Amino acid sequence: QRGYKTPTEYVRALIDSDTRDIREQAYFWSEAWQAGERETDEDIAAERVEIFDTMDELLADLMDEDE
C-alpha cells in the first residue's frame, strides 16, 4: 500500500490498472482478430506451416518470396 493514503485508494488504483490493461488488449477479442486466430489454428492443424531452425533460415525464406 505504499504511496496510498488509504486502503480504498490502493484498491481503486489496482482496479484502474486492470481495466486499462483490458482496454489495451481489446483488439485481441475483436471478431476480425479472432477470425485470424481461427485461420491460424486451421493452418497449423492442416500442417500448412514451415518450421525454421534459425532466424537466418526464416529471413532467407522471406527474402526468396520477395523476388
Side-chain angles (χ1 to χ4, degrees), residues 2-51:
R2 293 185 186 151
Y4 300 100
K5 295 177 184 175
T6 66
T8 302
E9 189 177 291
Y10 174 70
V11 170
R12 284 187 177 143
L14 286 176
I15 291 170
D16 286 346
S17 68
D18 285 347
T19 56
R20 183 173 44 253
D21 289 343
I22 291 168
R23 288 190 308 267
E24 289 172 358
Q25 297 175 12
Y27 70 90
F28 180 80
W29 301 108
S30 70
E31 181 52 39
W33 192 275
Q34 288 300 303
E37 289 289 325
R38 287 188 294 275
E39 182 179 348
T40 300
D41 290 342
E42 291 168 6
D43 286 342
I44 292 169
E47 298 182 1
R48 291 187 297 262
V49 296
E50 292 185 51
I51 298 173

